């Protein structure tokens, strides 16, 4: 089977400081990969390099495109990469405000990606916006409200709807549950798990919350100081950590 | 009565040459916003400094100049710009659309169709159609370069969601020759179909330092949705003075008891119709 995303030797330096060093992995269709590590371990740098937001210094990011098969994303022209960012890829930011247009109604936010790929029928755009709001448990009556009037959890769900409306195959998530209270987190995780399963999405989830990866991720990578120190199946890594840092990480979680 | 202390049409020759280069580039790439080194003019920003600079670079001593503001030849802005070029360039001026070779306009296209050989100069406040949706200039330039115009439809979507129809009634975005999305300056959308014309159209934004252009007979399409097509709109009345049913109208309040009348915003069009004997219901 061809991996959907294949990363080889990805390295990003900030001057003398290492952002992430020599990261390689394969991601297969339908698979969810979790990346954990403490603050400053390079997990967000890695995600931003993968998603094309930051130019890495070395390495390859090979994506299995629908049209031309495997292509190195880093050598693509900018229009191609941005097109990919609107169609096959999605990026869920930690802060919903970074991923939403706060001055535009919920329906407009969801519809933007559709219009960006050429949808020009108002009725159809609105119907799929309402459909997607329903799927992320936002009432149809809120379709014309601005995200500023939404709660944090609703904003995050709206951001997810906005990203998934074009049926992407790969979703990048940066701390998707960060800054939400625990009951809202639980519902959001439940929703994400359902969407990932129903749509057969592949996803890369960056988080420092081990509960999130336990629930969502099939495989896990642990990062420290820019390097991957351990990787494997999620349950295996969390239940039988081998590296000293992973052991520390797992034992740091407060058991209630 | 040219005042000898000024160069012809106020600006020095090097500046006019620089502006002409920007104009030529704009004509070569219809709808593309060409940056230019806008000069301080003796009028404040917002009073048509972009249009004045484009007119200055375009005028020759043989030209006949006309200025309209919201269609009218007799408002402050129009009168002062007309006087400015009378004094600094000594060109002939007129209020007749058909006699003018260069027409500077604010917010209107004349009702009378323009012909080949005429030049229409627009004063533009904000040249970037995407500005209110995407405040970053670096990003809007990239969007123009990569033809990413989905955002423009988000604005129209919001209009329909909020008002039930496309409520944008002026500065209605257009696509030029199936390439650049352009702000036609704040003309009413009633004028949008007239953008496809025989005359050269030049747009000058002084404060924003941009010039763009539409060559004659260029294809202009107003953006819309399949199920909410573009519709040019005007007040549903005939002109109170000349009876014209096909011209864009201003609403004029005549007393404090709800009295009002609708008159052509294009004063030259209205006057020439009245000279031909047309009368509206409010004509004295």
């Amino acid at each position: 089977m061809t991996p959907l995303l294949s990363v080889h030797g990805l390295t990003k330096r900030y001057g003398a400081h290492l952002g992430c060093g020599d990261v390689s992995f394969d991601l297969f269709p339908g698979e969810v990969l979790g990346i954990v590590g403490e603050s400053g371990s390079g997990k967000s740098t890695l995600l931003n390099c993968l998603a094309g937001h930051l130019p890495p210094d070395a390495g390859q990011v090979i994506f299995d495109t629908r049209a031309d098969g495997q292509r190195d994303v880093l050598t693509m022209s900018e229009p191609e990469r941005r097109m990919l960012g609107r169609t096959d890829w999605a990026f869920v930011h930690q802060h919903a405000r970074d991923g939403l247009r706060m001055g535009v109604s919920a329906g407009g936010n969801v519809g933007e990606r559709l219009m960006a790929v050429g949808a020009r029928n108002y009725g159809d755009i609105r119907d799929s916006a309402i459909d997607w709001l329903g799927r992320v448990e936002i009432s149809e009556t809120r379709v014309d409200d601005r995200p500023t009037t939404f709660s944090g959890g609703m904003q995050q769900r709206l951001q997810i709807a906005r990203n998934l409306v074009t049926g992407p195959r790969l979703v990048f998530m940066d701390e998707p549950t960060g800054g939400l209270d625990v009951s809202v987190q639980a519902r959001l995780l439940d929703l994400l798990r359902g969407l990932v399963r129903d749509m057969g999405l592949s996803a890369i989830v960056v988080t420092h919350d081990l509960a999130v990866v336990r629930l969502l991720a099939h495989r896990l990578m642990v990062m420290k100081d820019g390097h991957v120190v351990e990787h494997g199946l999620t349950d295996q890594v969390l239940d039988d950590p081998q590296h000293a840092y992973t052991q520390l990480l797992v034992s740091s979680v407060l058991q209630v | 009565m040219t005042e000898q202390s000024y160069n012809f049409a106020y600006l020095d020759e090097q500046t006019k040459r620089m502006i002409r280069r920007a104009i030529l580039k704009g004509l070569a790439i219809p709808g593309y916003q060409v940056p230019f080194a806008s000069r301080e003019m003796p009028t404040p920003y917002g009073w048509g400094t972009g249009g004045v600079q484009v007119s200055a670079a375009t005028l020759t001593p043989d030209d006949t100049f006309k200025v309209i503001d919201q269609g009218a030849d007799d408002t402050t802005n129009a009168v002062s710009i007309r006087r400015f070029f009378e004094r600094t360039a000594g060109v002939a001026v007129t209020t007749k659309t058909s006699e003018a070779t260069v027409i500077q306009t604010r917010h209107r296209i004349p009702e009378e169709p323009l012909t080949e050989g005429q030049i229409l100069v627009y004063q533009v406040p904000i040249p970037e159609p995407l500005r209110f949706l995407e405040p970053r200039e670096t990003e809007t330039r990239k969007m123009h370069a990569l033809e990413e115009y989905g955002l423009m439809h988000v604005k129209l979507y919001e209009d329909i969601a909020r008002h039930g129809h496309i409520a944008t009634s002026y500065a209605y975005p257009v696509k030029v020759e199936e390439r650049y999305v352009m702000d036609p300056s704040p003309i009413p959308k009633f004028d949008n179909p007239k953008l496809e014309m025989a005359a050269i159209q030049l747009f000058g934004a002084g404060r924003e330092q941009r010039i763009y252009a539409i060559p004659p007979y260029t294809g202009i399409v107003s953006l819309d949705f399949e199920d909410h097509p573009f519709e040019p709109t005007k007040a549903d009345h005939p002109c109170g003075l000349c009876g014209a049913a096909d011209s864009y109208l201003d609403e004029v309040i005549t007393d404090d008891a709800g009295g009002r009348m609708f008159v052509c915003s294009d004063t030259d069009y209205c006057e020439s119709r009245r000279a031909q004997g047309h009368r509206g219901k409010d004509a004295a």
Side-chain angles (χ1 to χ4, degrees):
Chain A
M1 191 154 94
T2 331
L4 185 67
L5 190 74
S6 186
V7 179
H8 302 295
L10 200 69
T11 302
K12 171 74 185 172
R13 291 182 171 281
Y14 298 106
H17 176 70
L18 183 72
C20 63
D22 199 23
V23 177
S24 305
F25 65 88
D26 284 338
L27 182 75
F28 289 90
E31 194 176 35
V32 179
L33 175 71
I35 303 176
V36 293
E38 60 192 358
S39 300
S41 60
K43 49 192 194 321
S44 291
T45 298
L46 174 61
L47 194 72
N48 282 319
C49 285
L50 294 178
H53 298 170
L54 275 178
D57 298 321
Q60 287 180 306
V61 179
I62 294 166
F63 180 72
D64 187 19
T65 57
R66 282 185 224 228
D68 313 313
Q70 292 196 313
R71 296 273 312 271
D72 187 350
V73 176
L74 303 175
T75 59
M76 273 186 183
S77 66
E78 190 167 11
E80 286 179 300
R81 195 161 54 234
R82 284 172 73 111
M83 191 63 190
L84 207 56
R86 296 201 291 275
T87 53
D88 266 356
W89 287 6
F91 197 101
V92 177
H93 293 265
Q94 175 178 5
H95 302 290
R97 286 170 174 268
D98 297 339
L100 292 173
R101 286 190 192 279
M102 299 307 282
V104 169
S105 71
N109 264 294
V110 179
E112 182 181 341
R113 270 172 84 107
L114 292 172
M115 292 183 248
V117 294
R120 291 291 179 264
N121 187 308
Y122 175 79
D124 294 350
I125 293 166
R126 197 171 170 82
D127 288 345
S128 32
I130 289 171
D131 174 45
W132 266 98
L133 289 181
R135 287 206 226 179
V136 298
E137 299 165 17
I138 295 175
S139 157
E140 186 185 331
T141 55
R142 304 298 301 268
V143 65
D144 292 330
D145 292 347
R146 293 186 179 193
T148 38
T149 66
F150 287 11
S151 69
M154 279 172 84
Q155 288 181 1
Q156 195 58 285
R157 278 180 276 144
L158 179 62
Q159 194 196 175
I160 290 165
R162 169 187 158 90
N163 272 293
L164 297 188
V165 67
T166 46
R169 292 190 296 154
L170 176 59
V171 186
F172 300 100
M173 295 191 223
D174 189 5
E175 308 267 9
T177 59
L180 302 176
D181 70 54
V182 279
S183 60
V184 175
Q185 270 191 27
R187 274 179 56 203
L188 187 72
L189 283 174
D190 215 31
L191 178 79
L192 275 176
R193 200 149 61 143
L195 288 171
V196 164
R197 197 175 46 230
D198 294 347
M199 298 176 72
L201 294 175
S202 301
I204 298 179
V205 185
V206 161
T207 183
H208 54 246
D209 187 343
L210 294 183
V212 170
V213 285
R214 176 80 91 173
L215 279 170
L216 274 182
H218 303 124
R219 281 197 305 141
L220 191 59
M221 279 191 349
V222 183
M223 290 187 74
K224 179 161 171 43
D225 298 332
H227 292 282
V228 176
V229 294
E230 187 165 356
H231 59 93
L233 296 175
T234 304
D235 290 343
Q236 182 193 333
V237 174
L238 291 182
D239 293 339
D240 182 20
Q242 300 294 314
H243 190 273
Y245 173 70
T246 319
Q247 292 169 354
L248 178 71
L249 194 71
V250 171
S251 62
S252 305
V253 177
L254 195 62
Q255 304 289 333
V256 264
Chain B
M1 49 179 243
T2 310
E3 298 194 3
Q4 290 305 316
S5 46
Y6 289 119
N7 189 32
F8 176 76
Y10 185 76
L11 293 173
D12 62 276
E13 292 305 314
Q14 284 302 325
T15 301
K16 287 195 278 185
R17 192 177 291 180
M18 174 270 293
I19 294 172
R20 284 175 199 140
R21 275 200 294 265
I23 291 173
L24 288 174
K25 185 169 178 182
L27 282 167
I29 318 170
Y32 172 71
Q33 297 168 43
V34 186
F36 79 110
S38 177
R39 298 290 193 255
E40 290 286 340
M41 297 302 284
T43 44
Y45 289 130
W47 283 70
T49 52
V52 168
Q53 290 178 74
V54 170
S55 293
T58 311
L59 281 173
T60 65
D62 305 329
D63 273 318
T64 308
F65 192 55
K66 169 183 161 88
V67 188
I68 51 175
D69 171 8
Q70 305 266 17
D73 289 281
D74 50 7
T75 56
T76 316
N77 197 328
V79 170
S80 64
I81 293 174
R82 193 163 58 229
R83 275 202 60 218
F84 176 76
F85 282 114
E86 260 185 301
R87 286 176 58 184
T88 60
V91 289
V93 294
T94 181
T95 58
K96 292 253 162 279
T97 302
S98 53
E99 289 169 11
T101 52
V102 177
I103 304 173
Q104 182 171 335
T105 177
R106 170 173 176 265
H107 298 195
R108 271 315 304 278
I109 295 176
E111 302 291 352
E112 193 179 326
L114 299 184
T115 55
E116 288 178 22
Q118 287 185 305
I119 298 176
L120 186 60
V121 178
Y122 295 79
Q123 305 170 196
V124 182
I126 295 171
E128 179 52 71
L130 302 161
R131 177 61 67 241
F132 291 105
L133 300 146
E134 177 52 69
R136 288 168 294 181
E137 174 72 16
T138 47
E139 192 63 18
T140 52
R141 278 199 211 182
K142 199 170 274 181
M143 290 158 83
H144 281 295
L146 302 180
E147 241 182 306
E148 286 180 6
Y149 291 130
L151 201 53
M152 209 66 247
H153 274 85
V154 173
K155 179 178 152 57
L156 303 178
Y157 171 95
E158 288 290 286
D159 260 11
I160 304 173
R162 200 153 297 160
H163 306 284
H165 60 98
I166 299 179
T168 303
S169 56
Y170 65 95
Y172 193 101
V174 295
K175 197 160 206 182
V176 181
E177 277 295 321
E178 299 177 12
R179 178 61 182 85
Y180 283 98
V181 164
M182 188 193 90
D183 182 341
S185 89
I187 58 171
K189 67 177 170 183
F190 174 80
D191 282 345
N192 270 21
K194 290 190 234 161
L195 287 164
E196 283 192 16
M197 63 163 76
I200 296 173
Q201 297 171 81
L202 306 175
F203 298 78
R207 181 180 46 210
E208 304 284 329
Q209 313 202 326
R210 293 290 183 277
I211 284 173
Y212 50 105
I214 305 178
Y217 306 110
T218 302
I220 307 283
V221 177
S222 302
L223 300 181
D224 59 3
F225 286 105
E226 289 162 7
D227 44 352
H228 286 268
F230 169 78
E231 258 179 274
T233 52
K234 67 183 273 287
D236 192 16
H237 295 271
C239 171
L241 296 179
C242 75
D246 58 350
S247 71
Y248 192 76
L249 303 173
D250 286 339
E251 183 180 0
V252 181
I253 307 293
T254 50
D255 54 37
D256 59 359
R260 57 184 191 163
M261 64 188 283
F262 290 90
V263 295
C264 294
S265 90
D266 186 338
T267 50
D268 172 53
Y269 183 73
C270 200
E271 274 160 21
S272 38
R273 272 180 58 87
R274 274 180 286 158
Q276 289 161 20
H278 295 281
R279 283 287 176 274
K281 68 180 177 60
D282 299 316

